[in-house]
Amino acid sequence: MANVVVVGAQWGDEGKGKIVDWLSERADVVARFQGGHNAGHTLVIDGTVYKLHVLPSGVVRGGKLSVIGNGVVLDPWHLVKEIATVREQGVDISPETLMIAENTPLILPLHGELDRARESASAVAKIGTTGRGIGPAYEDKVGRRVVRVADLADRATLETRVGRLLAHHNPLRRGLGMDEVNGEQLVQELLDIAPEVLKYAAPVWKVLNDKRKAGKRILFEGAQGALLDVDFGTYPFVTSSNVIAGQAATGTGIGPGGIDFVLGIVKAYTTRVGEGPFPTELLDDDGDRLGTRGHEFGTTTGRKRRCGWFDACLVRQTCATSGVTGIALTKLDVLDGFETLKICVGYDLDGKRMDYLPTAADEQARCTPIYEEVPGWTESTEGARSWADLPANAIKYVRRIEELIECPVALLSTSPERDDTILVTDPFQD
């Protein structure tokens, strides 16, 4: 049986939560492999809305093992709060249904404080961070001074880790005019929360490899989108981790040979939250219409998303860097009623045609989209569950996207409800 990686192929908010939930019915294990609680996945199941931030989408489905991999940065206090919230909605979460990698780095209060202080003090362009400490936690991971889940089990180790961490952070905080962190108090706060986290701790790399050997189906769930990847995104307006599919291996310890199918989630138009380049952004009635019909507000931040036409160049680019096998096209129904639709098929950079978004930030800012117009449709696609339910022009639109991004559609989503999905190729059939 195939193991499947799900990645966002735009700037996030593509509808990964619903697709992962839909696929989780066929999976035995669902594993998060990067990001933190800056991500937001909204699931609608039997009329109940679940808003998840760090918990894998599989937790709302009984009989599945959910895993938080070492590629994630974890705020332990947020984790405990999110578990309590989901339990109140009737979801059973226990060490039998949720595991956290022992080598997962922790987000501490000082990370969020530093994140927000930097953003508010920035004299140049803001990055658009959520201010939740994700970036500073990844910095400390790379700097070999982060506190990890396993460190919570031993006070002496924890004191050493916190001491090393504060040797870096307290001078930095002084320079920013912030109060220093009390090391003893931080250690005690971590020891207080430790029992609530350690009961889920496990050697996730071993668990996943054992599951793979046993023929179990593993679904790897990413957060954000490939255009926010720290290497291949619109730098510096990116997240602090690798988002592309290759991170599923390093973020869980499964090894690249354990990945059989990469499913890229693609919205039928384009959105992004926060700062950064956005060639097809619409600052007119069409943009407002997309935002209103698509309910484009961030699950985590509540921020209004910027909206624009579908950008085939960007999606073709992310399909290449993630090795996407097939895409799940979402929110097609939001385009219902548009007389004409536009698809970006290239960029004009100072009179030169480009078929990809250049790396240099100044060149990205000068790129203007080259559009191809296609006819829209007046009929409703909402709730369609087969190709026969779709208007002819909607099918033509989907087929044209496949051609332009050089990747086939594996799934087509026509509403937030999990069953309103057209299956073309089952990713789990290797």
Side-chain angles (χ1 to χ4, degrees):
M1 293 298 179
N3 295 324
V4 179
V5 177
V6 174
V7 294
Q10 293 160 306
W11 277 294
D13 311 310
E14 302 96 346
K16 292 183 294 296
K18 172 198 165 167
I19 299 300
V20 170
D21 174 62
W22 191 87
L23 289 170
S24 69
E25 189 174 41
R26 296 163 170 78
D28 302 298
V29 183
V30 181
R32 268 285 303 273
F33 61 83
Q34 54 79 220
H37 63 304
N38 54 339
H41 291 169
T42 300
L43 310 179
V44 181
I45 302 171
D46 298 328
T48 301
V49 178
Y50 301 92
K51 293 184 181 294
L52 305 178
H53 299 275
V54 72
L55 290 173
S57 297
V59 297
V60 298
R61 291 286 165 190
K64 311 292 177 185
L65 173 62
S66 291
V67 168
I68 295 175
N70 57 277
V72 174
V73 284
L74 181 67
D75 182 325
W77 294 275
H78 175 87
L79 171 73
V80 170
K81 182 179 178 181
E82 187 169 324
I83 288 174
T85 299
V86 174
R87 277 179 175 157
E88 289 175 1
Q89 293 183 281
V91 176
D92 174 48
I93 297 181
S94 68
E96 286 69 44
T97 61
L98 175 66
M99 290 184 181
I100 302 171
E102 296 167 319
N103 52 338
T104 299
L106 297 182
I107 301 173
L108 307 182
L110 59 84
H111 291 127
E113 292 164 2
L114 178 60
D115 204 355
R116 294 185 292 273
R118 282 175 172 172
E119 190 77 348
S120 62
S122 178
V124 293
K126 296 183 183 298
I127 298 299
T129 171
T130 60
R132 301 199 172 199
I134 280 71
Y138 274 118
E139 290 176 40
D140 285 338
K141 174 184 177 179
V142 175
R144 296 163 295 190
R145 55 181 172 262
V146 80
V147 177
R148 305 198 294 180
V149 168
D151 300 331
L152 298 176
D154 180 71
R155 184 181 190 113
T157 300
L158 186 58
E159 289 174 344
T160 299
R161 295 285 187 271
V162 168
R164 178 176 174 81
L165 182 69
L166 296 187
H168 171 80
H169 276 270
N170 277 338
L172 184 59
R173 290 170 70 91
R174 287 196 301 269
L176 290 168
M178 303 167 67
D179 293 336
E180 292 190 9
V181 174
N182 183 306
E184 292 183 4
Q185 181 179 336
L186 178 56
V187 168
Q188 190 56 54
E189 290 172 352
L190 287 167
L191 289 172
D192 289 342
I193 198 75
E196 294 301 314
V197 178
L198 287 172
K199 61 186 176 183
Y200 302 107
V204 159
W205 68 269
K206 184 177 187 305
V207 171
L208 292 181
N209 278 280
D210 288 346
K211 294 287 185 183
R212 180 191 173 200
K213 291 174 185 176
K216 302 298 183 182
R217 291 171 164 178
I218 306 172
L219 183 61
F220 298 92
E221 176 185 14
Q224 289 94 31
L227 292 171
L228 295 174
D229 185 275
V230 70
D231 286 309
F232 293 99
T234 48
Y235 192 89
F237 304 100
V238 294
T239 193
S240 298
S241 62
N242 285 113
V243 181
I244 59 175
Q247 177 63 18
T250 55
T252 61
I254 192 70
I259 298 171
D260 303 295
F261 192 104
V262 178
L263 182 68
I265 315 300
V266 178
K267 195 179 289 186
Y269 49 102
T270 312
T271 64
R272 87 171 291 175
V273 172
E275 308 296 328
F278 187 171
T280 66
E281 182 174 13
L282 296 171
L283 302 174
D284 57 12
D285 291 342
D286 285 338
D288 290 339
R289 183 177 177 184
L290 289 171
T292 300
R293 293 205 59 188
H295 306 290
E296 297 297 351
F297 295 91
T299 302
T300 299
T301 63
R303 289 184 291 183
K304 183 178 180 181
R305 297 175 186 140
R306 301 154 64 190
C307 299
W309 295 120
F310 186 84
D311 192 329
C313 290
L314 286 179
V315 175
R316 183 172 61 246
Q317 196 166 322
T318 57
C319 283
T321 56
S322 271
V324 173
T325 315
I327 69 165
L329 191 65
T330 66
K331 289 199 167 185
L332 183 67
D333 54 301
V334 174
L335 300 181
D336 292 352
F338 278 92
E339 183 177 344
T340 302
L341 301 170
K342 294 182 180 180
I343 302 174
C344 177
V345 296
Y347 307 112
D348 183 294
L349 176 59
D350 303 333
K352 178 183 178 182
R353 181 163 181 150
M354 305 284 290
D355 62 358
Y356 66 95
L357 190 67
T359 300
D362 63 312
E363 292 184 346
Q364 290 178 352
R366 298 202 307 275
C367 282
T368 58
I370 299 171
Y371 286 119
E372 174 182 301
E373 292 191 356
V374 296
W377 54 89
T378 57
E379 308 94 321
S380 174
T381 63
E382 184 174 2
R385 297 186 181 182
S386 71
W387 288 108
D389 296 332
L390 295 176
N393 281 348
I395 295 175
K396 290 178 182 177
Y397 181 76
V398 174
R399 294 307 186 200
R400 184 56 181 150
I401 284 176
E402 288 181 313
E403 293 173 356
L404 291 170
I405 68 173
E406 300 173 1
C407 191
V409 169
L411 296 130
L412 186 64
S413 171
T414 56
S415 94
E417 293 291 340
R418 73 188 300 270
D419 291 330
D420 291 341
T421 306
I422 300 171
L423 176 64
V424 181
T425 301
D426 188 344
F428 278 117
Q429 296 302 317
D430 188 11

